[in-house]
Protein backbone atom coordinates (compact mmCIF):
# COMPACT_ATOMS: atom_id res chain seq x y z
CA UNK A 1 0.00 0.00 0.00
CA UNK A 2 2.89 2.38 -0.66
CA UNK A 3 1.93 2.44 -4.32
CA UNK A 4 -1.04 3.85 -6.23
CA UNK A 5 -4.37 3.21 -4.58
CA UNK A 6 -6.80 0.77 -6.12
CA UNK A 7 -10.24 1.87 -7.18
CA UNK A 8 -11.73 5.36 -7.55
CA UNK A 9 -13.51 5.09 -4.18
CA UNK A 10 -10.52 3.95 -2.09
CA UNK A 11 -9.04 6.63 0.19
CA UNK A 12 -5.96 6.29 2.39
CA UNK A 13 -5.93 8.11 5.72
CA UNK A 14 -2.54 8.87 7.26
CA UNK A 15 -3.15 9.18 11.00
CA UNK A 16 -0.72 11.76 12.43
CA UNK A 17 -2.12 12.08 15.96
CA UNK A 18 0.67 10.22 17.79
CA UNK A 19 3.33 12.42 16.16
CA UNK A 20 2.00 15.72 14.80
CA UNK A 21 -0.74 15.70 17.41
CA UNK A 22 1.09 14.82 20.62
CA UNK A 23 4.25 16.67 19.54
CA UNK A 24 2.34 19.93 19.92
CA UNK A 25 0.79 19.15 23.29
CA UNK A 26 2.04 21.32 26.16
CA UNK A 27 1.96 18.53 28.73
CA UNK A 28 4.21 15.49 28.34
CA UNK A 29 2.18 12.40 27.53
CA UNK A 30 3.51 9.33 29.38
CA UNK A 31 5.21 6.81 27.11
CA UNK A 32 2.86 4.00 28.10
CA UNK A 33 -0.12 6.16 27.06
CA UNK A 34 1.46 6.87 23.67
CA UNK A 35 2.06 3.16 23.14
CA UNK A 36 -1.50 2.31 24.15
CA UNK A 37 -2.83 5.07 21.85
CA UNK A 38 -0.93 3.69 18.85
CA UNK A 39 -1.93 0.10 19.65
CA UNK A 40 -5.59 1.12 19.87
CA UNK A 41 -5.35 3.04 16.56
CA UNK A 42 -3.88 -0.12 14.99
CA UNK A 43 -7.18 -1.91 15.69
CA UNK A 44 -9.40 0.65 13.92
CA UNK A 45 -8.58 -0.32 10.33
CA UNK A 46 -6.09 2.52 9.78
CA UNK A 47 -3.29 1.45 7.44
CA UNK A 48 -0.82 4.26 8.21
CA UNK A 49 -0.09 5.63 11.70
CA UNK A 50 2.68 8.21 12.02
CA UNK A 51 4.08 7.06 15.35
CA UNK A 52 6.74 9.49 16.54
CA UNK A 53 9.59 11.80 15.59
CA UNK A 54 13.33 11.19 15.98
CA UNK A 55 14.20 14.80 16.72
CA UNK A 56 16.38 16.45 19.35
CA UNK A 57 14.90 15.83 22.84
CA UNK A 58 15.96 19.36 23.79
CA UNK A 59 14.01 20.91 20.92
CA UNK A 60 10.96 18.62 21.11
CA UNK A 61 10.77 17.02 24.57
CA UNK A 62 7.41 15.41 23.76
CA UNK A 63 9.18 13.06 21.34
CA UNK A 64 12.14 12.22 23.60
CA UNK A 65 10.86 8.66 24.03
CA UNK A 66 10.81 7.85 20.30
CA UNK A 67 13.05 4.78 20.56
CA UNK A 68 11.02 3.30 23.41
CA UNK A 69 7.74 3.96 21.60
CA UNK A 70 8.90 2.30 18.38
CA UNK A 71 10.38 -0.73 20.12
CA UNK A 72 7.39 -1.37 22.39
CA UNK A 73 4.33 -0.79 20.19
CA UNK A 74 2.57 -3.87 18.81
CA UNK A 75 3.02 -3.61 15.05
CA UNK A 76 0.01 -5.01 13.28
CA UNK A 77 0.68 -6.73 9.94
CA UNK A 78 -0.47 -4.54 7.05
CA UNK A 79 -0.11 -1.30 9.02
CA UNK A 80 2.74 1.14 8.40
CA UNK A 81 4.27 3.15 11.26
CA UNK A 82 6.27 5.99 9.66
CA UNK A 83 8.35 8.38 11.77
CA UNK A 84 9.60 11.91 11.17
CA UNK A 85 13.38 12.14 10.68
CA UNK A 86 15.09 15.58 10.44
CA UNK A 87 18.72 14.49 9.99
CA UNK A 88 21.24 11.62 9.94
CA UNK A 89 21.30 11.37 13.74
CA UNK A 90 17.55 10.81 13.76
CA UNK A 91 17.81 8.34 10.88
CA UNK A 92 20.38 6.22 12.72
CA UNK A 93 18.10 6.02 15.77
CA UNK A 94 15.17 5.16 13.52
CA UNK A 95 17.13 2.36 11.83
CA UNK A 96 18.14 0.95 15.21
CA UNK A 97 14.43 0.92 16.13
CA UNK A 98 13.60 -1.17 13.03
CA UNK A 99 11.66 1.62 11.32
CA UNK A 100 10.36 0.73 7.84
CA UNK A 101 9.28 4.19 6.70
CA UNK A 102 10.42 7.74 7.41
CA UNK A 103 9.18 11.22 6.55
CA UNK A 104 11.29 14.27 5.72
CA UNK A 105 10.06 17.84 5.51
CA UNK A 106 10.73 21.01 3.55
CA UNK A 107 8.91 24.31 3.13
CA UNK A 108 7.51 26.16 0.14
CA UNK A 109 8.38 29.41 1.96
CA UNK A 110 12.01 30.58 2.23
CA UNK A 111 11.28 32.68 5.32
CA UNK A 112 9.45 29.85 7.08
CA UNK A 113 12.32 27.49 6.28
CA UNK A 114 14.91 29.88 7.70
CA UNK A 115 12.90 30.55 10.86
CA UNK A 116 11.78 26.95 11.40
CA UNK A 117 14.92 24.93 10.59
CA UNK A 118 17.50 27.72 10.21
CA UNK A 119 18.37 27.11 6.57
CA UNK A 120 17.17 27.92 3.06
CA UNK A 121 14.95 25.56 1.09
CA UNK A 122 17.85 24.38 -1.08
CA UNK A 123 20.07 23.90 1.98
CA UNK A 124 17.35 21.77 3.60
CA UNK A 125 17.19 19.57 0.51
CA UNK A 126 20.98 19.18 0.49
CA UNK A 127 20.83 18.07 4.14
CA UNK A 128 18.15 15.53 3.35
CA UNK A 129 20.00 14.01 0.39
CA UNK A 130 22.25 11.93 2.68
CA UNK A 131 19.21 10.85 4.71
CA UNK A 132 17.41 9.76 1.53
CA UNK A 133 20.46 7.93 0.15
CA UNK A 134 20.98 5.90 3.34
CA UNK A 135 17.25 5.21 3.70
CA UNK A 136 17.12 3.94 0.14
CA UNK A 137 20.13 1.71 0.79
CA UNK A 138 18.37 0.32 3.89
CA UNK A 139 15.17 -0.22 1.87
CA UNK A 140 13.28 2.26 4.04
CA UNK A 141 10.38 4.04 2.34
CA UNK A 142 10.47 7.85 2.34
CA UNK A 143 7.56 10.29 2.44
CA UNK A 144 8.01 14.00 1.83
CA UNK A 145 6.20 16.87 3.54
CA UNK A 146 5.91 20.37 2.10
CA UNK A 147 4.73 23.03 4.55
CA UNK A 148 3.06 26.40 3.88
CA UNK A 149 1.65 25.33 0.51
CA UNK A 150 -1.34 27.71 0.72
CA UNK A 151 0.10 30.49 2.84
CA UNK A 152 2.94 31.48 5.15
CA UNK A 153 2.77 33.41 8.46
CA UNK A 154 5.68 35.57 7.26
CA UNK A 155 5.30 35.82 3.47
CA UNK A 156 1.52 35.55 3.10
CA UNK A 157 0.38 33.95 -0.16
CA UNK A 158 2.70 31.33 -1.66
CA UNK A 159 3.11 30.86 -5.40
CA UNK A 160 1.68 27.55 -6.71
CA UNK A 161 4.81 27.27 -8.87
CA UNK A 162 7.00 27.45 -5.75
CA UNK A 163 5.01 24.57 -4.23
CA UNK A 164 5.23 22.51 -7.42
CA UNK A 165 8.99 23.09 -7.63
CA UNK A 166 9.77 21.85 -4.12
CA UNK A 167 7.30 18.96 -4.41
CA UNK A 168 8.93 17.80 -7.65
CA UNK A 169 12.42 17.99 -6.10
CA UNK A 170 11.36 15.83 -3.13
CA UNK A 171 9.73 13.34 -5.49
CA UNK A 172 12.85 13.11 -7.66
CA UNK A 173 14.98 12.69 -4.53
CA UNK A 174 13.14 9.46 -3.86
CA UNK A 175 10.01 10.30 -1.83
CA UNK A 176 7.23 7.93 -2.90
CA UNK A 177 4.50 10.33 -1.72
CA UNK A 178 4.39 14.10 -1.19
CA UNK A 179 2.11 15.50 1.50
CA UNK A 180 1.13 19.12 0.84
CA UNK A 181 0.53 20.93 4.11
CA UNK A 182 -1.68 23.97 4.62
CA UNK A 183 0.33 24.73 7.75
CA UNK A 184 -1.60 27.78 8.93
CA UNK A 185 -4.97 26.68 7.55
CA UNK A 186 -5.62 29.76 5.40
CA UNK A 187 -6.38 27.84 2.21
CA UNK A 188 -9.77 27.76 0.51
CA UNK A 189 -10.99 25.56 -2.36
CA UNK A 190 -10.03 28.44 -4.68
CA UNK A 191 -6.37 28.70 -3.63
CA UNK A 192 -6.18 24.91 -3.27
CA UNK A 193 -7.38 24.44 -6.84
CA UNK A 194 -4.66 26.74 -8.22
CA UNK A 195 -1.96 25.02 -6.17
CA UNK A 196 -3.03 21.48 -7.08
CA UNK A 197 -3.21 22.38 -10.77
CA UNK A 198 0.46 23.37 -10.64
CA UNK A 199 1.59 20.33 -8.63
CA UNK A 200 -0.37 17.86 -10.75
CA UNK A 201 1.58 19.06 -13.78
CA UNK A 202 4.83 17.73 -12.28
CA UNK A 203 3.69 14.82 -10.07
CA UNK A 204 1.41 11.82 -10.65
CA UNK A 205 -1.87 12.53 -8.84
CA UNK A 206 -1.70 9.22 -6.96
CA UNK A 207 1.59 10.37 -5.36
CA UNK A 208 0.04 13.49 -3.81
CA UNK A 209 -1.43 13.73 -0.31
CA UNK A 210 -3.13 16.67 1.39
CA UNK A 211 -2.51 17.79 4.97
CA UNK A 212 -5.32 20.30 5.60
CA UNK A 213 -5.69 22.40 8.73
CA UNK A 214 -9.01 23.73 9.97
CA UNK A 215 -7.81 27.00 11.48
CA UNK A 216 -10.28 28.98 9.36
CA UNK A 217 -12.89 26.20 9.17
CA UNK A 218 -11.92 25.22 5.62
CA UNK A 219 -10.38 21.74 6.09
CA UNK A 220 -13.35 19.58 5.07
CA UNK A 221 -14.21 21.89 2.17
CA UNK A 222 -10.61 21.68 0.98
CA UNK A 223 -10.52 17.90 1.37
CA UNK A 224 -13.76 17.64 -0.61
CA UNK A 225 -12.27 19.76 -3.39
CA UNK A 226 -9.06 17.71 -3.39
CA UNK A 227 -11.19 14.57 -3.82
CA UNK A 228 -12.79 16.07 -6.92
CA UNK A 229 -9.26 16.73 -8.21
CA UNK A 230 -8.35 13.05 -7.85
CA UNK A 231 -6.42 13.16 -4.57
CA UNK A 232 -6.96 9.99 -2.52
CA UNK A 233 -4.56 10.40 0.44
CA UNK A 234 -5.25 12.66 3.42
CA UNK A 235 -3.45 13.32 6.71
CA UNK A 236 -5.53 13.87 9.84
CA UNK A 237 -5.26 13.71 13.61
CA UNK A 238 -7.51 11.64 15.88
CA UNK A 239 -9.63 13.86 18.15
CA UNK A 240 -8.09 16.89 16.42
CA UNK A 241 -4.96 16.52 18.57
CA UNK A 242 -2.12 18.98 18.35
CA UNK A 243 -1.65 22.48 17.05
CA UNK A 244 -4.72 24.60 16.46
CA UNK A 245 -6.15 23.61 13.12
CA UNK A 246 -5.36 19.89 12.90
CA UNK A 247 -8.40 18.36 11.25
CA UNK A 248 -9.95 15.49 13.24
CA UNK A 249 -9.70 12.05 11.63
CA UNK A 250 -13.21 11.23 12.85
CA UNK A 251 -14.66 14.22 10.95
CA UNK A 252 -12.79 13.32 7.76
CA UNK A 253 -13.82 9.66 7.91
CA UNK A 254 -17.46 10.55 8.64
CA UNK A 255 -17.56 12.76 5.54
CA UNK A 256 -15.77 10.22 3.33
CA UNK A 257 -18.06 7.37 4.37
CA UNK A 258 -21.08 9.58 3.78
CA UNK A 259 -19.84 10.18 0.22
CA UNK A 260 -19.39 6.46 -0.44
CA UNK A 261 -15.60 6.39 -0.18
CA UNK A 262 -13.89 3.34 1.32
CA UNK A 263 -11.30 3.82 4.06
CA UNK A 264 -11.34 0.45 5.79
CA UNK A 265 -11.75 2.30 9.09
CA UNK A 266 -14.26 1.39 11.81
CA UNK A 267 -15.53 4.86 12.72
CA UNK A 268 -17.13 3.80 16.02
CA UNK A 269 -13.86 2.24 17.15
CA UNK A 270 -11.95 5.32 16.03
CA UNK A 271 -14.26 7.52 18.13
CA UNK A 272 -13.52 5.34 21.17
CA UNK A 273 -9.78 5.71 20.61
CA UNK A 274 -10.10 9.48 20.21
CA UNK A 275 -12.08 9.60 23.47
CA UNK A 276 -9.38 7.53 25.17
CA UNK A 277 -6.51 9.90 24.32
CA UNK A 278 -8.68 12.95 25.05
CA UNK A 279 -9.36 11.57 28.54
CA UNK A 280 -5.62 11.04 29.07
CA UNK A 281 -5.09 14.69 28.18
CA UNK A 282 -7.96 15.80 30.41
CA UNK A 283 -9.99 17.55 27.76
CA UNK A 284 -12.96 16.97 25.42
CA UNK A 285 -12.55 15.22 22.09
CA UNK A 286 -11.93 17.92 19.47
CA UNK A 287 -13.94 16.14 16.78
CA UNK A 288 -17.52 17.27 16.18
CA UNK A 289 -18.42 13.94 14.62
CA UNK A 290 -16.95 12.12 17.62
CA UNK A 291 -18.95 14.27 20.06
CA UNK A 292 -22.21 13.46 18.25
CA UNK A 293 -21.41 9.77 17.75
CA UNK A 294 -20.28 9.36 21.37
CA UNK A 295 -23.79 10.22 22.51
CA UNK A 296 -25.21 7.54 20.21
CA UNK A 297 -22.65 5.00 21.39
CA UNK A 298 -23.57 5.73 25.01
CA UNK A 299 -27.28 5.35 24.25
CA UNK A 300 -26.66 2.01 22.55
Amino acid sequence: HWGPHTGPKAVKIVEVGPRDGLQNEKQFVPTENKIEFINKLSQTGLKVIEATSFVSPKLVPQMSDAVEVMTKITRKPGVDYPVLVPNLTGLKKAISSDVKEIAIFASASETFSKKNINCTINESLERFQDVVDIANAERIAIRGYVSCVLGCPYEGEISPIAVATIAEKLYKMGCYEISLGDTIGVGTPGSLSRMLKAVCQVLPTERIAMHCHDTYGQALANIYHALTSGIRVFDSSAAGLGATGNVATEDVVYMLHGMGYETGIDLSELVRVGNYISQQLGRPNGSKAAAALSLKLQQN
Side-chain angles (χ1 to χ4, degrees):
H1 40 273
W2 286 340
H5 318 292
T6 56
K9 285 293 187 178
V11 171
K12 183 174 79 173
I13 296 292
V14 177
E15 171 57 53
V16 300
R19 198 282 301 176
D20 189 25
L22 297 184
Q23 180 172 301
N24 288 290
E25 291 296 326
K26 293 179 181 178
Q27 58 176 303
F28 182 81
V29 178
T31 305
E32 58 269 23
N33 289 349
K34 291 176 184 170
I35 293 168
E36 183 70 10
F37 180 36
I38 294 168
N39 287 345
K40 286 179 179 293
L41 286 170
S42 299
Q43 302 302 316
T44 64
L46 283 160
K47 290 292 184 281
V48 187
I49 303 167
E50 194 176 60
T52 188
S53 180
F54 285 84
V55 293
S56 166
K58 292 181 180 178
L59 295 177
V60 190
Q62 275 287 18
M63 299 286 108
S64 60
D65 55 0
V67 172
E68 188 175 359
V69 167
M70 287 309 295
T71 53
K72 290 187 176 180
I73 58 173
T74 302
R75 303 191 194 192
K76 184 177 180 180
V79 179
D80 293 328
Y81 300 91
V83 301
L84 198 68
V85 170
N87 49 38
L88 284 173
T89 302
L91 178 63
K92 289 174 183 177
K93 290 181 180 178
I95 291 172
S96 70
S97 304
D98 196 29
V99 163
K100 304 299 183 187
E101 179 177 345
I102 64 169
I104 60 175
F105 54 92
S107 176
S109 159
E110 285 287 1
T111 308
F112 189 86
S113 182
K114 290 172 184 174
K115 288 185 177 290
N116 195 39
I117 53 176
N118 201 32
C119 64
T120 66
I121 293 172
N122 285 333
E123 286 170 346
S124 72
L125 293 178
E126 288 172 8
R127 292 181 187 180
F128 281 129
Q129 189 63 62
D130 289 340
V131 172
V132 169
D133 290 343
I134 293 174
N136 280 328
E138 295 285 339
R139 298 184 65 81
I140 293 173
I142 308 151
R143 191 177 199 243
Y145 280 107
V146 183
S147 58
C148 298
V149 300
L150 294 175
C152 168
Y154 310 108
E155 296 183 12
E157 190 174 339
I158 297 295
S159 161
I161 299 301
V163 179
T165 300
I166 185 70
E168 184 179 25
K169 287 180 178 179
L170 284 171
Y171 184 62
K172 288 183 175 179
M173 280 177 70
C175 296
Y176 77 91
E177 188 171 275
I178 309 299
S179 177
L180 305 173
D182 182 11
T183 308
I184 57 174
V186 294
T188 65
S191 59
L192 176 72
S193 177
R194 292 187 290 273
M195 184 272 294
L196 281 179
K197 183 177 180 182
V199 176
C200 286
Q201 289 177 350
V202 296
L203 291 188
T205 306
E206 66 269 17
R207 298 298 181 182
I208 301 171
M210 281 303 308
H211 188 111
C212 298
H213 279 196
D214 203 37
T215 316
Y216 286 75
Q218 300 296 295
L220 290 180
N222 287 338
I223 290 170
Y224 177 84
H225 184 82
L227 283 164
T228 66
S229 300
I231 307 302
R232 293 294 182 269
V233 187
F234 298 96
D235 302 353
S236 57
S237 180
L241 292 179
T244 303
N246 269 359
V247 65
T249 307
E250 297 94 322
D251 295 350
V252 176
V253 172
Y254 179 79
M255 183 184 79
L256 289 171
H257 288 182
M259 295 171 66
Y261 286 96
E262 301 164 4
T263 65
I265 296 169
D266 182 331
L267 182 54
S268 295
E269 196 58 38
L270 181 63
V271 167
R272 293 187 180 95
V273 178
N275 287 340
Y276 160 79
I277 193 63
S278 298
Q279 288 165 4
Q280 301 306 312
L281 294 168
R283 66 157 188 256
N285 190 318
S287 160
K288 290 184 177 179
L293 290 169
S294 292
L295 290 173
K296 287 188 176 182
L297 291 172
Q298 289 170 7
Q299 291 168 0
N300 294 335

